[in-house]
Each structure stands twice: as C-alpha cells, then as structure tokens.
Amino acid sequence: MRNIDEHTITDAVLQSIAGTKDARLRQVMTSLVTHLHDFVREVKLTEAEWKAGIDFLTATGQKCSDTRQEFILLSDTLGVSMLTIALNHAKPAGATEATVFGPFHTIDAPHVEQGADIAHGAPGLPMFVHAVVRGPDGEAVADAEVDVWQADDDGLYDVQRPELGDARRARAVLRTDAHGAVRFRSIVPTAYPIPVDGPVGAMLAATGRHPWRPAHLHFMIRADGYQPLTTHIFRDGDAYLDSDVVFGVRSSLVGDYVEHAPGSAPDGSVVDTTFFTLDQAFTLARA
C-alpha cells in the first residue's frame, strides 16, 4: 500500500476489506467506498468542505435525543427514507402503501379503549376517526394493534413540548374489534414545519427548501399473519401535498377529512364547534 494517490487509494481500501467474512457486509462496504471515493473525485472535494461535512454529521448526532432523531430527519429530507421504503416495502395490488416513519414516534403511547379521546387536551378542532383493517381478501383483521400519533394544531408533537414532561397526548395504541375496526376521537391534523433548529434545518435553508409537511395522521398497524404497515393518511387539499419536505406523499394515502357543522357527533356526543370525521380502510398484505 505504498505510493498511494488519488487514483490508487480506492483499490487499496477495497483490498483491505476484501476478506470480510459477512458477504452482505462486504458488498455494502465495497459499494459504499467505491461511490464515496467517486463522489469526492467528481466534485473535487476540498479539505475544508470535508471538515464541514464531518462537523455537520457530528452536530446531527449531538441533536439526537430520546424524543428526537435528527438522523431520521436527515434521511427523510434527503429522500433516503422513502427510497428504502420503496425498495423494501413494495405491496401487492390492493394493499395500503407504506410511507416514512418520522422522528417523533414513541414506545410509551397509552393503550386506550374504543371510542377514547386520544387528544388529551391537545389544541385543535375535534375529529372522529373510524378505521377498518382488512386482509387481502377483504377479511376483517381482528385484534390488530393500531398505533396512531400526530401533531397538534400548533404543528407540534407532544415530545416537542417540554412543559408536558413525560405526558403523552395526540397518540395512542388501540386494538381492532371483531369487525377489524377502531374508533377514536382526536384533533384535525394541520400542516407543520419539521424542526429547523438543528443541522437539518440549516441544510434546508442553505439549499433554498421549505420545511413543511402536509397535514397527516400516522398509523402503524401490526397483526399476526400479516406484514406490518407504517403509513400516513394525508388531508386532501393541503397546500404541501406536492412538495412534502420528506417526499412521503402517495396519492393512495390522501384521505377524505369531512367537515361538519356543530351538532351531533358519531359517538353520540354534541359538539359545539366545527368538527371533522375520517373514515379510512387499511388493507394489509399477508406475511
């Protein structure tokens, strides 16, 4: 490995990892080194630019916490998250499509009963959701786990509000009934900007991009015998459907959020403000 220069260094690195016993690791590392070196040569990367890149990645890691994943945000905004989803979660015809996971899911969402108000005081107009989970032959999927979460009317998730501490709101886990259905009350989702107080926000500003996501409700559904599904249901008519900062919109995932005048709600209660309903069907692919 003497006399290394810009033309020979790639082969030298590849030779150093040629003995990797794990074939998949060897394939991934070989491709990574090859493309990374080609990138550096193509743009004639300067030492100052490489140092800036290292500083950027360092800051990205430092911004991560138990309630915020800046690297997921970076992956989302570079389109890598949706690319890996498209490659790994192709669904058979008729199955609900997957989209990005997002950086604000938590594993401590409260488990609630049918009809519960999962907003727990989060600001926003009331919304009543009726979702049905089916299999590929139209069969009801009973006892499926439905994990749902969303931002509030201020565009913030509960974990972005330090005043809440460990309290959780606008998120919950439910189980489908014998008919494959879940029913709950929440709030209408609104468009919101992703966090821009970190390195990802700086990258967006430097490249002239906006930070907005169209309004959506997150769903993660698991059931025995079926492939797990992580997806959103977007709100039709949102101004950012065609420019989602994380490239997560798919036409099949745009739902019909229906506006209603004050009056009787689907759960029998009387609502004195405008409210919305969402009726949504999900079709799972077999495992």
Side-chain angles (χ1 to χ4, degrees):
M1 291 188 184
R2 297 183 183 184
N3 303 318
I4 295 294
D5 60 24
E6 68 270 25
H7 304 294
T8 61
I9 190 169
T10 303
D11 285 340
V13 177
L14 294 180
Q15 289 175 21
S16 75
I17 61 176
T20 304
K21 293 181 180 179
D22 186 315
R24 176 60 176 168
L25 177 60
R26 183 171 63 251
Q27 178 190 16
V28 170
M29 289 298 298
T30 297
S31 183
L32 173 64
V33 169
T34 300
H35 287 287
L36 183 58
H37 284 213
D38 285 344
F39 159 73
V40 172
R41 279 188 286 261
E42 178 185 341
V43 302
K44 293 182 171 56
L45 198 70
T46 68
E47 290 178 272
E49 289 166 341
W50 184 233
K51 174 63 163 54
I54 290 174
D55 290 344
F56 175 82
L57 293 175
T58 301
T60 300
Q62 291 170 338
K63 197 66 176 177
C64 296
S65 68
D66 291 340
T67 56
R68 174 166 171 176
Q69 235 301 350
E70 192 79 359
F71 270 111
I72 290 181
L73 204 61
L74 177 60
S75 173
D76 289 350
T77 54
L78 292 178
V80 178
S81 297
M82 271 307 301
L83 178 57
T84 55
I85 288 168
L87 288 171
N88 291 280
H89 293 277
K91 301 295 183 183
T96 302
E97 293 185 285
T99 190
V100 293
F101 184 59
F104 293 118
H105 177 264
T106 71
I107 60 173
D108 60 351
H111 290 246
V112 302
E113 299 297 323
Q114 294 278 357
D117 181 356
I118 73 167
H120 293 298
L125 290 173
M127 179 176 68
F128 297 85
V129 179
H130 175 255
V132 177
V133 182
R134 301 189 181 104
D137 297 323
E139 71 276 17
V141 180
D143 200 37
E145 180 183 89
V146 179
D147 193 341
V148 59
W149 67 103
Q150 67 175 107
D152 61 28
D153 202 44
D154 295 328
L156 297 173
Y157 289 83
D158 50 7
V159 295
Q160 294 177 280
R161 290 186 174 276
E163 70 272 17
L164 294 178
D166 294 330
R168 295 289 173 255
R169 68 184 192 184
R171 70 174 76 235
V173 179
L174 303 94
R175 310 292 302 198
T176 57
D177 62 18
H179 304 289
V182 291
R183 295 171 299 280
F184 59 91
R185 175 173 174 165
S186 189
I187 52 174
V188 180
T190 59
Y192 64 86
I194 63 170
V196 294
D197 60 338
V200 172
M203 179 199 70
L204 294 178
T207 53
R209 294 174 58 189
H210 74 68
W212 287 85
R213 296 221 62 204
H216 59 274
L217 194 58
H218 293 263
F219 286 88
M220 185 163 61
I221 303 173
R222 299 187 183 93
D224 291 341
Y226 300 90
Q227 294 179 23
L229 172 67
T230 299
T231 196
H232 301 356
I233 300 300
F234 295 93
R235 186 175 169 187
D236 196 13
D238 192 285
Y240 297 102
L241 284 175
D242 295 316
S243 62
D244 181 10
V245 67
V246 306
F247 311 100
V249 177
R250 294 184 172 189
S251 296
S252 67
L253 301 179
V254 178
D256 188 14
Y257 291 74
V258 180
E259 185 175 354
H260 301 268
S264 297
D267 65 355
S269 63
V270 176
V271 180
D272 59 5
T273 65
T274 297
F275 66 92
F276 285 72
T277 56
L278 174 66
D279 288 289
Q280 187 66 40
F282 297 93
T283 300
L284 303 183
R286 296 203 188 283

